[in-house]
């Protein structure tokens, strides 16, 4: 790995490059996996590209068959959205059925350079999972899903996923290995 990327990232946080690397590997990387220099460099490139702080877990990594995958927390997604120079606000529309149950949430991201907002609808039936977080905060979780998808469409964010998606990927990989 070139020192320039590591030194650049470490200097952003006023840290020695070696201590920064050790800290990131200890806090933002998979603990049971030997991370290669190439994987570490790739992770730092994504963090730098999106100006995300791995020390505050705006971005972190999880192991995958292909190495590691960068995960962006909801705080990281919101930081990226709010920092985009064309961002001009967002709105949400909640849709309920006749029984008062949430069916979907539509997120609209407004851009300064467009007349019509980018709109994405996420459906509870497609997104809800049988996890403690989804059981406790289903509306919040669905809103997160909608805004993240809208941000991808509005700003072209790529190569990153949210924590919920990473859990889905883990389940798929586990099922592939057992079948």
């Amino acid at each position: 790995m070139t020192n320039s990327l590591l030194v650049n990232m470490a200097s952003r946080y006023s840290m020695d490059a070696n201590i920064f690397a050790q800290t990131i590997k200890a806090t933002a990387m998979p603990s049971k996996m030997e991370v290669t220099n190439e994987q570490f460099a790739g992770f730092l490139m994504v963090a730098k590209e999106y100006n995300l702080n791995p020390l505050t877990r705006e971005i972190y990594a999880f192991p995958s068959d292909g190495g590691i995958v960068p995960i962006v927390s909801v705080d990281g997604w919101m930081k990226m959205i709010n920092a985009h120079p064309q961002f001009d606000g967002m709105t949400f529309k909640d849709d309920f059925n006749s029984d008062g149950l949430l069916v979907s949430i539509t997120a609209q991201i407004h851009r300064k350079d467009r007349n019509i907002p980018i709109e994405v609808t996420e459906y509870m039936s497609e997104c809800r999972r049988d996890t403690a977080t989804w059981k406790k905060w289903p509306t919040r979780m669905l809103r997160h899903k909608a805004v993240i998808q809208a941000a991808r469409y509005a700003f072209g964010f790529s190569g990153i996923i949210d924590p919920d998606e990473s859990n889905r990927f883990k389940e798929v990989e586990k099922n592939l290995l057992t079948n």
Side-chain angles (χ1 to χ4, degrees):
M1 172 173 43
T2 64
N3 278 341
S4 59
L5 174 63
L6 181 59
V7 169
N8 179 280
M9 290 292 292
S11 66
R12 182 184 293 179
Y13 304 106
S14 302
M15 293 181 72
D16 172 80
N18 291 328
I19 293 172
F20 176 78
Q22 291 171 0
T23 303
I24 297 303
K25 287 181 178 180
T27 60
M29 305 304 256
S31 61
K32 297 178 183 177
M33 180 181 171
E34 184 67 31
V35 177
T36 67
N37 287 338
E38 294 79 12
Q39 292 168 334
F40 188 60
F43 175 78
L44 290 182
M45 284 181 206
V46 173
K48 183 178 179 192
E49 172 72 20
Y50 292 114
N51 194 30
L52 296 171
N53 185 343
L55 299 171
T56 60
R57 293 189 62 86
E58 290 173 347
I59 187 169
Y60 54 97
F62 85 90
S64 173
D65 285 342
I68 61 169
V69 176
I71 309 293
V72 177
S73 68
V74 171
D75 292 339
W77 281 97
M78 295 311 297
K79 178 180 181 179
M80 292 180 348
I81 291 166
N82 282 296
H84 196 282
Q86 294 303 322
F87 179 64
D88 200 27
M90 71 176 79
T91 56
F92 297 93
K93 294 183 216 169
D94 297 353
D95 180 39
F96 297 89
N97 66 16
S98 59
D99 295 328
L101 298 175
L102 182 65
V103 173
S104 65
I105 294 180
T106 299
Q108 293 181 326
I109 292 188
H110 304 267
R111 289 182 54 123
K112 295 174 186 172
D113 60 347
R114 300 195 184 153
N115 294 326
I116 300 171
I118 289 75
E119 182 174 287
V120 172
T121 301
E122 290 289 340
Y123 297 90
M124 186 64 78
S125 62
E126 294 177 358
C127 294
R128 188 178 186 120
R129 299 180 62 235
D130 191 27
T131 65
T133 308
W134 275 96
K135 288 176 182 176
K136 189 167 183 175
W137 301 294
T139 304
R140 176 178 288 186
M141 292 299 292
L142 193 59
R143 186 171 295 118
H144 291 168
K145 300 299 284 181
V147 76
I148 289 168
Q149 281 302 95
R152 286 184 172 127
Y153 292 176
F155 304 122
F157 297 141
S158 62
I160 52 178
I161 60 175
D162 68 77
D164 185 65
E165 288 171 307
S166 75
N167 289 331
R168 292 174 197 270
F169 288 160
K170 288 177 191 174
E171 288 174 9
V172 169
E173 286 181 352
K174 181 180 173 184
N175 290 337
L176 289 174
L177 293 174
T178 58
N179 291 333

